[in-house]
Amino acid sequence: MTTEPLFSRDAEVIDGKAAAAVIVEEIRNAVLLEQVTPGLAVVLVGSDPASAVYVRNKANRARECGFFSRQIVLAATTSEDELLKIVSELNLDRAIHGILVQFPLPPQINSQHVIDAIDPEKDVDGFHYANAGRLAVGAAADALVPCTPLGALRLIKQACGPDLGGLHAVILGRSNIVGKQLANLLLLEHCTVSVVHSRTINPENICRQADILVAAVGVPRLVKGSWIKPGAVVIDVGINRVADDTRPGQSHLVGDVDFDEARTVAAAITPVPGGVGPMTIAMLLKNTLSVALRSRP
Ligand code: NAD
């Protein structure tokens, strides 16, 4: 089904790269001004190519901002005990303010055990129960908040303005990493929040009521133009690699939203790539800087 254009002009494309560059510049300036050296340790287990790229990008960006950056690459056969020992050493290392273990982990390692082992005060990914709990009870100022939801919120405010009170936000996806955390953040911003997931009946009807529609499901181009309320702000968190129809044997990245359809209906939309993705790294650096500033004598 094709969607008739409902707006006379295309949606504003929200430039996540530009927004992230502003934040990274602020962080670089703060490092110089405050004379701190935030330390970020990124741990990769195995050789998954996508994870290796993420880890390298995070470490490089940290270095560019004047951080002390430690990359630890472990064999795919690493045991849970070996990884937990490294985490506990990093917990005690005073030069390290942020610890990030790249997921997914190999099957012999229980991810939750690893999350539990990270010192909550160095948990710059914000996945530890202590941080998730603080956010859930409204103590966001005391929490390290997960980077992707934090980045998505920044882009939402850029598009909607600082006051989100009363807006209806619909989030597709209820993962602990993105969907649930963003729901909690938007509740703190006084939005009316609906969470749509794989068992929701008639998701498109709920999505069509959204002033702010966030897709974080991992299903390529799931959200069609007909799911979107005219004038809504659409934030596409999804990163999906799909075959490229125009170049046989090649692939490219798409989001969870059908961008070409959505941009004729929405007021503003994030692209994939170049939307939420760059914001995630910027927020990781921001979280690490805030731990470093907090832990100064
Ligand atoms: P996940 O697999 O942990 O969770 C997916 C969620 O989507 C689940 O809650 C499930 O109930 C829901 N879901 C699945 N199919 C659905 C459907 N048909 N309709 C409605 N809901 C459905 O995924 P995740 O870790 O939250 O990641 C989601 C997407 O975001 C993935 O594409 C991932 O690559 C991407 N992601 C991007 C960034 C970034 O930096 N931009 C960071 C994290 C995740």
mmCIF file of all heavy atoms in Angstrom, residues 148 172-175 177-179 196-198 216-219 222 237-240 256 276-277 280, ligand 1:
data_model
loop_
_atom_site.group_PDB
_atom_site.id
_atom_site.type_symbol
_atom_site.label_atom_id
_atom_site.label_comp_id
_atom_site.label_asym_id
_atom_site.label_seq_id
_atom_site.Cartn_x
_atom_site.Cartn_y
_atom_site.Cartn_z
ATOM 1 N N THR A 148 21.581 5.351 24.531
ATOM 2 C CA THR A 148 20.691 5.487 23.364
ATOM 3 C C THR A 148 19.398 6.208 23.731
ATOM 4 O O THR A 148 19.010 7.169 23.038
ATOM 5 C CB THR A 148 20.427 4.102 22.736
ATOM 6 O OG1 THR A 148 21.681 3.557 22.338
ATOM 7 C CG2 THR A 148 19.531 4.194 21.528
ATOM 8 N N LEU A 172 7.740 1.917 20.357
ATOM 9 C CA LEU A 172 7.679 0.520 19.897
ATOM 10 C C LEU A 172 8.922 -0.174 20.419
ATOM 11 O O LEU A 172 10.043 0.232 20.087
ATOM 12 C CB LEU A 172 7.690 0.463 18.369
ATOM 13 C CG LEU A 172 6.400 0.823 17.667
ATOM 14 C CD1 LEU A 172 6.633 2.003 16.741
ATOM 15 C CD2 LEU A 172 5.926 -0.361 16.846
ATOM 16 N N GLY A 173 8.716 -1.233 21.203
ATOM 17 C CA GLY A 173 9.859 -1.958 21.779
ATOM 18 C C GLY A 173 9.905 -1.758 23.271
ATOM 19 O O GLY A 173 9.698 -0.646 23.765
ATOM 20 N N ARG A 174 10.133 -2.856 24.005
ATOM 21 C CA ARG A 174 10.167 -2.777 25.480
ATOM 22 C C ARG A 174 11.441 -3.394 26.029
ATOM 23 O O ARG A 174 11.441 -4.017 27.098
ATOM 24 C CB ARG A 174 8.946 -3.474 26.072
ATOM 25 C CG ARG A 174 8.826 -4.920 25.628
ATOM 26 C CD ARG A 174 7.705 -5.658 26.316
ATOM 27 N NE ARG A 174 7.401 -6.896 25.621
ATOM 28 C CZ ARG A 174 6.481 -7.757 26.006
ATOM 29 N NH1 ARG A 174 5.777 -7.525 27.088
ATOM 30 N NH2 ARG A 174 6.256 -8.858 25.319
ATOM 31 N N SER A 175 12.550 -3.250 25.289
ATOM 32 C CA SER A 175 13.805 -3.836 25.784
ATOM 33 C C SER A 175 14.295 -3.047 26.993
ATOM 34 O O SER A 175 13.958 -1.867 27.169
ATOM 35 C CB SER A 175 14.871 -3.837 24.692
ATOM 36 O OG SER A 175 15.339 -2.526 24.465
ATOM 37 N N ILE A 177 17.228 -2.125 27.366
ATOM 38 C CA ILE A 177 18.283 -1.217 26.921
ATOM 39 C C ILE A 177 17.694 0.073 26.344
ATOM 40 O O ILE A 177 18.214 1.163 26.578
ATOM 41 C CB ILE A 177 19.157 -1.937 25.864
ATOM 42 C CG1 ILE A 177 19.932 -3.081 26.536
ATOM 43 C CG2 ILE A 177 20.087 -0.995 25.145
ATOM 44 C CD1 ILE A 177 20.655 -3.987 25.571
ATOM 45 N N VAL A 178 16.622 -0.054 25.587
ATOM 46 C CA VAL A 178 16.075 1.139 24.917
ATOM 47 C C VAL A 178 14.629 1.434 25.362
ATOM 48 O O VAL A 178 14.374 2.426 26.042
ATOM 49 C CB VAL A 178 16.122 0.998 23.368
ATOM 50 C CG1 VAL A 178 15.726 2.337 22.728
ATOM 51 C CG2 VAL A 178 17.487 0.561 22.867
ATOM 52 N N GLY A 179 13.678 0.565 24.969
ATOM 53 C CA GLY A 179 12.259 0.898 25.102
ATOM 54 C C GLY A 179 11.841 1.282 26.513
ATOM 55 O O GLY A 179 11.288 2.376 26.727
ATOM 56 N N VAL A 196 4.373 -0.106 22.877
ATOM 57 C CA VAL A 196 3.859 -1.118 21.945
ATOM 58 C C VAL A 196 4.934 -2.184 21.799
ATOM 59 O O VAL A 196 6.117 -1.860 21.696
ATOM 60 C CB VAL A 196 3.565 -0.445 20.575
ATOM 61 C CG1 VAL A 196 3.330 -1.468 19.493
ATOM 62 C CG2 VAL A 196 2.384 0.502 20.691
ATOM 63 N N HIS A 197 4.537 -3.467 21.820
ATOM 64 C CA HIS A 197 5.547 -4.533 21.721
ATOM 65 C C HIS A 197 5.026 -5.659 20.847
ATOM 66 O O HIS A 197 3.954 -5.536 20.216
ATOM 67 C CB HIS A 197 5.955 -5.012 23.117
ATOM 68 C CG HIS A 197 4.811 -5.336 23.996
ATOM 69 N ND1 HIS A 197 4.126 -6.520 23.891
ATOM 70 C CD2 HIS A 197 4.184 -4.606 24.950
ATOM 71 C CE1 HIS A 197 3.151 -6.519 24.768
ATOM 72 N NE2 HIS A 197 3.155 -5.367 25.424
ATOM 73 N N SER A 198 5.763 -6.757 20.835
ATOM 74 C CA SER A 198 5.457 -7.827 19.865
ATOM 75 C C SER A 198 4.101 -8.483 20.108
ATOM 76 O O SER A 198 3.564 -9.128 19.216
ATOM 77 C CB SER A 198 6.560 -8.884 19.901
ATOM 78 O OG SER A 198 6.735 -9.315 21.222
ATOM 79 N N ALA A 216 11.965 1.156 18.235
ATOM 80 C CA ALA A 216 13.179 0.461 18.701
ATOM 81 C C ALA A 216 12.857 -1.028 18.762
ATOM 82 O O ALA A 216 12.722 -1.607 19.841
ATOM 83 C CB ALA A 216 13.605 0.987 20.066
ATOM 84 N N VAL A 217 12.700 -1.654 17.605
ATOM 85 C CA VAL A 217 12.271 -3.049 17.551
ATOM 86 C C VAL A 217 13.249 -3.971 16.822
ATOM 87 O O VAL A 217 13.313 -5.158 17.078
ATOM 88 C CB VAL A 217 10.874 -3.204 16.896
ATOM 89 C CG1 VAL A 217 9.798 -2.684 17.786
ATOM 90 C CG2 VAL A 217 10.785 -2.541 15.544
ATOM 91 N N GLY A 218 14.011 -3.433 15.879
ATOM 92 C CA GLY A 218 14.911 -4.283 15.098
ATOM 93 C C GLY A 218 14.215 -5.020 13.967
ATOM 94 O O GLY A 218 14.625 -6.114 13.578
ATOM 95 N N VAL A 219 13.131 -4.440 13.433
ATOM 96 C CA VAL A 219 12.428 -5.018 12.274
ATOM 97 C C VAL A 219 12.489 -3.989 11.134
ATOM 98 O O VAL A 219 11.913 -2.904 11.264
ATOM 99 C CB VAL A 219 10.950 -5.345 12.601
ATOM 100 C CG1 VAL A 219 10.257 -5.925 11.374
ATOM 101 C CG2 VAL A 219 10.851 -6.292 13.786
ATOM 102 N N LEU A 222 9.413 -1.509 9.561
ATOM 103 C CA LEU A 222 8.117 -1.970 10.100
ATOM 104 C C LEU A 222 7.062 -0.852 10.070
ATOM 105 O O LEU A 222 5.894 -1.080 9.739
ATOM 106 C CB LEU A 222 8.325 -2.455 11.548
ATOM 107 C CG LEU A 222 7.078 -2.827 12.326
ATOM 108 C CD1 LEU A 222 6.520 -4.157 11.830
ATOM 109 C CD2 LEU A 222 7.368 -2.921 13.830
ATOM 110 N N VAL A 237 15.195 4.327 16.103
ATOM 111 C CA VAL A 237 16.377 3.806 16.811
ATOM 112 C C VAL A 237 16.950 2.584 16.079
ATOM 113 O O VAL A 237 18.124 2.266 16.200
ATOM 114 C CB VAL A 237 16.006 3.446 18.274
ATOM 115 C CG1 VAL A 237 17.194 2.879 19.029
ATOM 116 C CG2 VAL A 237 15.457 4.663 19.007
ATOM 117 N N GLY A 238 16.139 1.927 15.298
ATOM 118 C CA GLY A 238 16.533 0.658 14.672
ATOM 119 C C GLY A 238 17.760 0.756 13.783
ATOM 120 O O GLY A 238 17.959 1.768 13.098
ATOM 121 N N ILE A 239 18.572 -0.266 13.824
ATOM 122 C CA ILE A 239 19.718 -0.384 12.904
ATOM 123 C C ILE A 239 19.639 -1.789 12.327
ATOM 124 O O ILE A 239 19.881 -2.778 13.047
ATOM 125 C CB ILE A 239 21.065 -0.196 13.625
ATOM 126 C CG1 ILE A 239 21.138 1.174 14.305
ATOM 127 C CG2 ILE A 239 22.232 -0.350 12.640
ATOM 128 C CD1 ILE A 239 22.424 1.401 15.100
ATOM 129 N N ASN A 240 19.263 -1.904 11.066
ATOM 130 C CA ASN A 240 19.091 -3.225 10.437
ATOM 131 C C ASN A 240 19.881 -3.258 9.133
ATOM 132 O O ASN A 240 19.785 -2.333 8.330
ATOM 133 C CB ASN A 240 17.616 -3.465 10.120
ATOM 134 C CG ASN A 240 16.706 -3.189 11.318
ATOM 135 O OD1 ASN A 240 16.710 -3.932 12.280
ATOM 136 N ND2 ASN A 240 15.937 -2.102 11.262
ATOM 137 N N ASP A 256 13.858 1.035 11.577
ATOM 138 C CA ASP A 256 12.599 0.327 11.811
ATOM 139 C C ASP A 256 11.425 1.068 11.170
ATOM 140 O O ASP A 256 10.287 0.610 11.249
ATOM 141 C CB ASP A 256 12.334 0.211 13.318
ATOM 142 C CG ASP A 256 13.333 -0.690 14.015
ATOM 143 O OD1 ASP A 256 13.990 -1.503 13.338
ATOM 144 O OD2 ASP A 256 13.463 -0.572 15.250
ATOM 145 N N VAL A 276 19.974 8.579 15.507
ATOM 146 C CA VAL A 276 20.213 8.269 16.925
ATOM 147 C C VAL A 276 21.620 7.679 17.143
ATOM 148 O O VAL A 276 22.245 7.914 18.178
ATOM 149 C CB VAL A 276 19.128 7.292 17.442
ATOM 150 C CG1 VAL A 276 19.395 6.885 18.892
ATOM 151 C CG2 VAL A 276 17.745 7.923 17.326
ATOM 152 N N GLY A 277 22.126 6.934 16.160
ATOM 153 C CA GLY A 277 23.427 6.248 16.320
ATOM 154 C C GLY A 277 24.551 7.152 16.823
ATOM 155 O O GLY A 277 25.153 6.860 17.861
ATOM 156 N N THR A 280 24.401 8.122 20.499
ATOM 157 C CA THR A 280 24.694 7.105 21.511
ATOM 158 C C THR A 280 26.138 7.252 21.999
ATOM 159 O O THR A 280 26.404 7.246 23.209
ATOM 160 C CB THR A 280 24.441 5.705 20.922
ATOM 161 O OG1 THR A 280 23.060 5.611 20.583
ATOM 162 C CG2 THR A 280 24.784 4.601 21.901
HETATM 163 P P1 NAD B 1 15.523 -6.072 21.444
HETATM 164 O O1 NAD B 1 15.527 -7.174 20.449
HETATM 165 O O2 NAD B 1 16.132 -6.265 22.774
HETATM 166 O O3 NAD B 1 14.013 -5.618 21.697
HETATM 167 C C1 NAD B 1 13.112 -5.478 20.630
HETATM 168 C C2 NAD B 1 11.751 -5.089 21.174
HETATM 169 O O4 NAD B 1 10.893 -4.898 20.068
HETATM 170 C C3 NAD B 1 11.107 -6.145 22.072
HETATM 171 O O5 NAD B 1 10.645 -5.508 23.212
HETATM 172 C C4 NAD B 1 9.930 -6.696 21.244
HETATM 173 O O6 NAD B 1 8.798 -6.928 22.041
HETATM 174 C C5 NAD B 1 9.652 -5.539 20.289
HETATM 175 N N1 NAD B 1 9.158 -6.030 19.000
HETATM 176 C C6 NAD B 1 9.702 -6.967 18.210
HETATM 177 N N2 NAD B 1 8.965 -7.131 17.085
HETATM 178 C C7 NAD B 1 7.944 -6.261 17.178
HETATM 179 C C8 NAD B 1 6.845 -5.940 16.340
HETATM 180 N N3 NAD B 1 6.651 -6.548 15.179
HETATM 181 N N4 NAD B 1 5.998 -4.974 16.756
HETATM 182 C C9 NAD B 1 6.177 -4.332 17.928
HETATM 183 N N5 NAD B 1 7.221 -4.585 18.755
HETATM 184 C C10 NAD B 1 8.067 -5.542 18.390
HETATM 185 O O7 NAD B 1 16.146 -4.813 20.677
HETATM 186 P P2 NAD B 1 16.867 -3.468 21.225
HETATM 187 O O8 NAD B 1 18.167 -3.792 21.833
HETATM 188 O O9 NAD B 1 15.895 -2.647 21.990
HETATM 189 O O10 NAD B 1 17.152 -2.760 19.821
HETATM 190 C C11 NAD B 1 16.095 -2.403 18.953
HETATM 191 C C12 NAD B 1 16.698 -1.834 17.676
HETATM 192 O O11 NAD B 1 17.456 -0.682 18.000
HETATM 193 C C13 NAD B 1 17.658 -2.783 16.947
HETATM 194 O O12 NAD B 1 17.548 -2.553 15.559
HETATM 195 C C14 NAD B 1 19.021 -2.312 17.429
HETATM 196 O O13 NAD B 1 20.057 -2.585 16.489
HETATM 197 C C15 NAD B 1 18.784 -0.831 17.551
HETATM 198 N N6 NAD B 1 19.666 -0.156 18.502
HETATM 199 C C16 NAD B 1 20.257 0.975 18.073
HETATM 200 C C17 NAD B 1 21.083 1.689 18.922
HETATM 201 C C18 NAD B 1 21.694 2.954 18.432
HETATM 202 O O14 NAD B 1 22.706 3.363 18.926
HETATM 203 N N7 NAD B 1 21.074 3.640 17.464
HETATM 204 C C19 NAD B 1 21.325 1.212 20.215
HETATM 205 C C20 NAD B 1 20.668 0.052 20.653
HETATM 206 C C21 NAD B 1 19.827 -0.628 19.771
#
